[in-house]
Amino acid sequence: MCSCWVVLAFCCLGQLWADQSLKPQLAAPQLATNNPTLTTVSLEKPFCMFDSSLRPNKSYVIYLYAMKEVASVISSLVADNSSKPLDSTFQQTSGGQLGPYKAASFNVPSCTSPPNLANAGDVNKVSDVLKQYLFRVGDDGTCLYDPNFLAVCNPPLAPDTTYRFKYLLVDSTEGIMKDQSLWSDPIKTRKVQLPLKIDTWPGQRSGGMIVITSILSVLIFLLLAGLFASVSSAAMRSEASSAETRHVSQTIQGSEPRPQLSSE
């Protein structure tokens, strides 16, 4: 009986691992720091996720869909009855509020030659490694307002909002879906912090301390400015008084009668 429970436990763990491997995942924090941000989410690309669905002499592409968690389950479909992927846009879905929108389209990442994450420490290679390894949802701040933009629009996400993501494997020749991942676990973008709650470095001072420090700095500045003005004014009055004294002295000396010499 105990052995049956052990087998069942291993089966459950195996199923859990399989489910996790078939979901979009957040990129490793070593490569994508501060993730998610206010308006972006960095995801691992689907390495080896769809290998069993790939066929020789076929051309495939990956579609990435995004939607807000508040969207209904019924509206979470990303393909029609003929397995054709939906081309719903950010605008059409109110930014994922009404259902999933296509946020990206890129080549199937190679499972046989994944990026060497050790190269991320090389300044000359880190950019290429990041492009191969992750995709940043919400990274395009101009596509919504560019009338000449024709590619898939990937506009910024909303702050303090929970999203889910899904990968699709699409036959680029036939234009139909061949496989899909599960929807990701809920991923929430960061919340905008009020200035008074920002924890600043150094010293990790509170917002109230920052305000008090600012007020004291202004008062000290005004005090020094007043002191400087007083010293300058006193110096100018002293100069004016000295000049006036010299002028009066010269006037008195000029007006004194000169002694006359007696004639013999």
Side-chain angles (χ1 to χ4, degrees):
M1 181 68 178
C2 181
S3 60
C4 293
W5 281 107
V6 172
V7 172
L8 180 60
F10 273 107
C11 289
C12 291
L13 288 174
Q15 182 62 42
L16 177 62
W17 182 86
D19 288 347
Q20 289 296 325
S21 66
L22 293 177
K23 295 179 182 179
Q25 304 289 326
L26 281 173
Q30 294 84 351
L31 296 179
T33 57
N34 190 31
N35 180 39
T37 67
L38 289 173
T39 58
T40 66
V41 172
S42 295
L43 300 173
E44 292 181 0
K45 286 186 175 180
F47 286 94
C48 309
M49 185 179 289
F50 301 119
D51 274 19
S52 60
S53 300
L54 300 177
R55 297 291 179 266
N57 303 320
K58 285 285 189 176
S59 177
Y60 298 94
V61 68
I62 298 292
Y63 287 174
L64 171 62
Y65 285 86
M67 72 172 180
K68 293 181 180 179
E69 191 181 26
V70 295
S72 67
V73 176
I74 298 177
S75 63
S76 66
L77 299 176
V78 294
D80 59 20
N81 294 333
S82 60
S83 296
K84 185 176 180 181
L86 301 179
D87 286 326
S88 49
T89 65
F90 183 91
Q91 297 97 320
Q92 292 170 343
T93 61
S94 297
Q97 181 83 16
L98 305 178
Y101 66 91
K102 187 161 67 173
S105 173
F106 52 85
N107 294 329
V108 180
S110 174
C111 184
T112 57
S113 58
N116 185 0
L117 300 186
N119 290 333
D122 188 335
V123 177
N124 298 320
K125 297 180 180 179
V126 62
S127 179
D128 291 335
V129 171
L130 293 179
K131 287 180 182 178
Q132 295 176 48
Y133 169 71
L134 60 82
F135 183 83
R136 193 185 302 275
V137 188
D139 202 33
D140 193 338
T142 61
C143 60
L144 286 178
Y145 313 104
D146 185 357
N148 300 317
F149 189 85
L150 301 177
V152 179
C153 188
N154 178 31
L157 303 175
D160 194 24
T161 304
T162 302
Y163 289 86
R164 290 180 183 267
F165 305 94
K166 177 190 280 283
Y167 285 126
L168 256 69
L169 177 69
V170 178
D171 185 321
S172 54
T173 303
E174 300 178 13
I176 59 174
M177 178 184 67
K178 290 298 183 180
D179 203 350
Q180 62 180 311
S181 73
L182 302 173
W183 281 103
S184 71
D185 294 329
I187 300 175
K188 191 173 185 178
T189 53
R190 291 184 183 272
K191 184 178 181 179
V192 179
Q193 290 187 345
L194 297 175
L196 294 180
K197 295 184 178 180
I198 295 177
D199 196 15
T200 58
W201 184 94
Q204 297 183 343
R205 294 173 296 176
S206 66
M209 291 180 65
I210 295 174
V211 173
I212 294 173
T213 303
S214 301
I215 294 174
L216 290 176
S217 299
V218 173
L219 291 176
I220 291 173
F221 172 77
L222 294 177
L223 180 61
L224 291 175
L227 181 61
F228 178 76
S230 299
V231 172
S232 299
S233 177
M236 291 176 64
R237 284 198 301 270
S238 177
E239 251 182 62
S241 177
S242 298
E244 185 177 353
T245 302
R246 287 196 301 268
H247 177 70
V248 170
S249 177
Q250 290 174 0
T251 303
I252 292 174
Q253 290 177 2
S255 61
E256 287 181 353
R258 294 182 179 180
Q260 293 181 357
L261 297 177
S262 60
S263 59
E264 295 181 359

